[in-house]
Amino acid sequence: MNNHTNKIEPNNDYLIRFLSDWDYRTDAFRITDRSINENITDPEDILTLAHNDKILVELVTYLAASKRAVKNIAKPLSVGIVFAVWKEARRLQPRTELNPAGEDALRAKVAELDWLFRDSLVSWSLYVVDDECPQGSFEVAQAIIKEEGFDSIELLRLRDALPSPNIPLKKLKSADLSVKGGAIIFGLERAAADRHEYIMFTDCDNSNNLGQIGLLMQPLLPGKVRVAIGDRRSTRVSHWQNSRDSESSANYMLKRVRQLLDFDLILRDVTCPFKMFEREYLIGMLEELDVFDFCVDYDMLGYLKSNGTPLAVVPIVSLDSEAQTTWIPLSNASVWWQKLKGFVHVVEKYRLPHNEEPAELVTKYLGSLENIKTVLRTGEQGVFLERRHFSPEEQLEMSLGEVEEWLQSILVR
């Protein structure tokens, strides 16, 4: 599998096909099955089968490696797959003129799991956890499950688990205080209670084809590795939309603060929603978690790093699903607030090596959502210090003292 060559950038029409077109998904499975059955491994031969579609070739290559790994499993075992839903009603439904962001995500996940594990010794269950979605994602998923007669899906509400007598959910006072993290943790708990040997979580959207799960299972099977985490950035078609607010020029000061914290959490793609755990290890990790927002991934990787956990980093093919991203309703400011607060909490909680002075700066100046909003609003108008204008690129070179001086100038009145 190629993971070091130039990126192949899909256009918007291709992205829509990848996320929502059933013919595209079926074609990927058909070509993958043929390449396995006929032992076709030469990239040029696969390119011919894929009608010269280089992105499809990359996907097929990873799907084939995944399915070959599953076919080699010699004993019965089960996998639990968790994802949370919050404002996912559109993604859960098919794409139509009235629902252009539709991905038919639940049916797609079932099809991907059925394809991967068909005629194997692996069974699976899917756990869909409602995170207090105001758009009725729970009811949409419920209707699909009933219509299709799906019997390997458990539909859960986080609120039904609270108040909990057991950690970590004992630390979560209300479902309203969860932003992804609480729902993911609840789903992982339920899957562990159902005694699946391997348990993972993903996102609701179709960015990450679940047919690649075998790539996560493969390093876990021998027993020495306890966790496998996906890396979306290491394949030829790893794709991240540049139009997100995260790329705004207003963010560069906050990016600089993040740089100055100077800590490492195993891999660049910390938040990849494609992480699998061996059951017993997961149970121990869950007891230590106390982050219930989008930084739950940082809490997990902080735990892994502090414990020196044997793990595998696994490249996966992923195309970003942006149209209904929860980044938008949460707001750029809210996401940055959660991130910076989460960074500092995790490095201090697990006593990970980091630069303590920027951590103190975050606590002092960036501990409230209102302050983050002020930084972003002011930064959008330009960063000036002693009449000097700092370009976005120059902001990434600012010293800690310069950063603090600027924050003080706009936040302390």
Side-chain angles (χ1 to χ4, degrees):
M1 292 183 288
N2 297 313
N3 58 10
H4 56 276
T5 53
N6 294 333
K7 300 291 185 183
I8 310 169
E9 187 70 20
N11 60 29
N12 191 61
D13 288 342
Y14 195 100
L15 183 63
I16 291 171
R17 288 177 57 217
F18 184 94
L19 296 171
S20 60
D21 190 326
W22 276 97
D23 289 339
Y24 182 93
R25 186 176 295 106
T26 302
D27 209 29
F29 292 153
R30 179 187 60 79
I31 295 169
T32 303
D33 284 335
R34 181 174 175 185
S35 69
I36 293 172
N37 294 336
E38 299 180 18
N39 196 29
I40 300 172
T41 57
D42 186 279
E44 291 302 318
D45 292 336
I46 298 175
L47 186 63
T48 300
L49 293 177
H51 321 297
N52 293 316
D53 182 338
K54 293 181 180 180
I55 295 176
L56 183 56
V57 169
E58 190 81 350
L59 176 61
V60 164
T61 301
Y62 280 77
L63 289 174
S66 173
K67 191 150 188 174
R68 287 188 178 101
V70 169
K71 288 169 73 74
N72 287 332
I73 294 174
K75 62 180 181 179
L77 55 84
S78 63
V79 178
I81 304 99
V82 175
F83 71 91
V85 289
W86 184 78
K87 291 197 173 183
E88 301 287 9
R90 290 186 177 275
R91 278 172 168 159
L92 288 168
Q93 299 178 79
R95 184 174 187 271
T96 64
E97 289 187 8
L98 296 177
N99 184 31
E103 298 181 19
D104 212 3
L106 184 55
R107 292 184 181 91
K109 283 178 171 50
V110 172
E112 290 160 4
L113 293 166
D114 277 342
W115 170 81
L116 178 62
F117 295 126
R118 184 180 300 123
D119 301 323
S120 78
L121 295 176
V122 181
S123 59
W124 59 269
S125 295
L126 193 60
Y127 297 82
V128 184
V129 189
D130 173 53
D131 201 17
E132 293 295 283
C133 174
Q135 297 180 343
S137 294
F138 181 94
E139 289 74 19
V140 170
Q142 191 175 50
I144 293 170
I145 292 168
K146 182 178 180 180
E147 178 182 343
E148 300 293 341
F150 291 144
D151 57 5
S152 294
I153 302 177
E154 188 165 353
L155 187 56
L156 306 167
R157 281 192 175 100
L158 175 59
R159 75 167 80 144
D160 293 337
L162 304 176
S164 173
N166 303 313
I167 54 174
L169 290 180
K170 185 177 182 179
K171 306 168 191 175
L172 181 61
K173 302 304 180 184
S174 165
D176 294 326
L177 299 176
S178 168
V179 184
K180 174 186 173 180
I184 291 295
I185 288 171
F186 178 39
L188 294 174
E189 275 192 332
R190 182 62 66 91
D194 288 345
R195 307 196 68 79
H196 296 287
E197 282 87 353
Y198 303 114
I199 300 159
M200 69 169 291
F201 70 91
T202 188
D203 274 351
C204 177
D205 63 61
N206 289 338
S207 293
N208 309 311
N209 191 307
L210 293 185
Q212 299 174 94
I213 285 178
L215 298 174
L216 298 181
M217 298 175 66
Q218 189 172 32
L220 294 173
L221 290 167
K224 292 183 179 180
V225 170
R226 312 299 296 278
V227 179
I229 49 181
D231 180 6
R232 296 168 293 185
R233 316 247 183 210
S234 296
T235 72
R236 296 180 68 200
V237 295
S238 178
H239 173 68
W240 189 255
Q241 292 281 2
N242 290 328
S243 58
R244 288 182 186 243
D245 284 343
S246 63
E247 299 304 317
S248 164
S249 60
N251 291 331
Y252 278 78
M253 185 62 73
L254 298 178
K255 289 181 179 181
R256 181 55 176 160
V257 173
R258 164 65 181 91
Q259 289 176 342
L260 289 167
L261 285 169
D262 192 24
F263 69 93
D264 170 45
L265 280 179
I266 301 170
L267 80 164
R268 184 173 51 150
D269 194 11
V270 174
T271 57
C272 178
F274 218 68
K275 296 181 174 70
M276 181 176 283
F277 308 88
E278 182 272 329
R279 177 180 177 271
E280 294 301 324
Y281 186 88
L282 173 65
I283 291 172
M285 183 188 74
L286 288 174
E287 293 180 353
E288 299 300 321
L289 301 186
D290 60 5
V291 175
F292 303 107
D293 59 22
F294 270 93
C295 285
V296 65
D297 294 275
Y298 294 90
D299 202 3
M300 290 177 177
L301 291 194
Y303 178 86
L304 301 184
K305 188 173 180 67
S306 67
N307 283 276
T309 304
L311 57 84
V313 176
V314 181
I316 62 166
V317 172
S318 177
L319 298 188
D320 186 31
S321 172
E322 186 196 30
Q324 287 289 298
T325 176
T326 51
W327 188 293
I328 296 172
L330 282 171
S331 83
N332 187 39
S334 179
V335 172
W336 268 109
W337 178 49
Q338 291 180 29
K339 284 169 63 173
L340 290 175
K341 184 174 61 172
F343 293 157
V344 172
H345 173 73
V346 167
V347 296
E348 291 181 346
K349 170 183 174 180
Y350 294 109
R351 299 179 180 177
L352 301 176
H354 68 285
N355 191 334
E356 294 182 6
E357 290 181 338
E360 293 172 359
L361 181 144
V362 169
T363 302
K364 184 176 181 179
Y365 295 105
L366 303 173
S368 73
L369 180 58
E370 285 306 312
N371 278 6
I372 295 289
K373 289 179 178 179
T374 299
V375 168
L376 292 172
R377 184 171 58 250
T378 308
E380 191 69 59
Q381 298 166 0
V383 172
F384 295 86
L385 191 60
E386 295 181 352
R387 297 184 180 180
R388 175 188 171 187
H389 174 252
F390 287 77
S391 69
E393 293 75 17
E394 289 172 331
Q395 290 173 46
L396 297 181
E397 300 294 330
M398 291 176 74
S399 69
L400 177 62
E402 289 172 328
V403 171
E404 181 166 15
E405 185 178 349
W406 184 78
L407 290 175
Q408 189 176 41
S409 73
I410 67 168
L411 296 174
V412 180
R413 300 298 184 207

